[in-house]
Amino acid sequence: MSPRRPNRPSGPFPSLDEPEHRVKFVEAGLADPRCTLDRSALERMATTPAPRRTVVQRKPNQVGVTMKDQHSQAGRLRVHTGAEPPDEAETGQTGARSAELRSALDGIRNIRYLTNLGSDPGARPAEWEQRRLLRTVSLLLEAEGLPPSAVDRAGEPARTGYRTSEGDQAGQVQVRWVGPRGSGARYQEHEQLQRCQAVLRSWGFETVEVRGPGGRRYLEVEARLG
């Protein structure tokens, strides 16, 4: 439990500046079956001013509802890995899809704020994202304007774009730039993978560009929580 800091703003509940009150707050949250936060997250809620009024005004027994809202917002959207049929991948170009992606990004930001510790909780992935790494990486790439690829009935690339897949190791995702024969995707891949890398690094993910069989490039992506 962090000691009281005399010159910092009060947390969401001023009385929780007192250590004994913070202990009671955390223990009550852990005992409430509706609360989905762990001890570290509850301690953060008790000691850090929240930037959004909706978070500040929550009572201790309503914290679980807030987290469930953010999980639903970020977790229910169908993501595109680039291995879907063309008609599904093309839905990413609609206005409704863009709005859904923005909403999902807001959900990820809020999950980070509610669960990460430190002075900048939004700068690195949350554990929730690490458990859904393929989904999160795919969502971020599309939401930041990179087009997903698609596959035809034979399983071959039907459009040029990113393709995400599980990595060779647990907790790792691979990102490739693929396209139909004659599309020139091979010659675009270095530049386009750099774009993918910039997006993912801006969200706090670790990425490395690798040369695979035949000299084709791809990214290895991991989420470091430390």
Side-chain angles (χ1 to χ4, degrees):
M1 194 78 67
S2 303
R4 182 179 181 183
R5 290 167 287 176
N7 295 324
R8 70 166 177 81
S10 294
F13 306 100
S15 64
L16 297 182
D17 282 352
E18 301 299 330
E20 61 271 22
H21 292 166
R22 289 205 303 274
V23 170
K24 292 180 181 179
F25 172 86
V26 172
E27 295 304 325
L30 293 174
D32 191 331
R34 294 168 294 182
C35 179
T36 62
L37 299 181
D38 61 15
R39 181 179 296 275
S40 295
L42 285 167
E43 290 175 357
R44 178 173 178 78
M45 290 287 292
T47 58
T48 305
R52 300 182 66 179
R53 183 173 298 178
T54 54
V55 175
V56 174
Q57 292 179 341
R58 295 288 185 181
K59 297 179 181 179
N61 63 2
Q62 293 177 309
V63 172
V65 177
T66 303
M67 282 298 297
K68 289 176 182 177
D69 289 345
Q70 307 311 326
H71 286 181
S72 177
Q73 188 177 35
R76 66 190 175 192
L77 180 69
R78 173 183 286 185
V79 301
H80 293 147
T81 65
E84 297 80 24
D87 57 339
E88 292 186 18
E90 287 166 4
T91 61
Q93 301 177 13
T94 67
R97 176 69 177 179
S98 296
E100 291 174 341
L101 290 168
R102 288 195 299 271
S103 179
L105 291 185
D106 286 341
I108 290 176
R109 291 187 184 98
N110 289 338
I111 289 170
R112 288 185 177 192
Y113 173 77
L114 289 170
T115 60
N116 284 346
L117 299 177
S119 60
D120 191 5
R124 64 188 186 281
E127 183 180 355
W128 184 92
E129 296 169 73
Q130 188 183 53
R131 295 199 303 267
R132 302 161 178 81
L133 188 57
L134 177 61
R135 175 183 183 82
T136 302
V137 168
S138 304
L139 189 156
L140 292 176
L141 291 177
E142 184 184 358
E144 297 286 5
L146 287 146
S149 183
V151 296
D152 58 22
R153 292 185 179 181
E156 295 295 323
R159 61 182 286 178
T160 301
Y162 69 79
R163 170 80 62 82
T164 55
S165 60
E166 298 288 352
D168 296 331
Q169 302 176 11
Q172 185 184 90
V173 164
Q174 295 180 356
V175 181
R176 290 175 167 81
W177 191 260
V178 301
R181 292 176 183 269
S183 66
R186 182 187 184 98
Y187 304 102
Q188 303 168 10
E189 65 182 7
H190 179 58
E191 178 182 354
Q192 297 301 329
L193 287 176
Q194 284 187 320
R195 290 181 61 200
C196 296
Q197 192 171 51
V199 166
L200 296 172
R201 285 181 173 176
S202 73
W203 281 85
F205 291 89
E206 294 191 356
T207 67
V208 176
E209 186 174 300
V210 178
R211 280 187 179 269
R216 297 300 300 267
R217 303 169 188 261
Y218 63 92
L219 299 180
E220 290 182 345
V221 185
E222 296 181 357
R224 297 293 187 188
L225 303 183

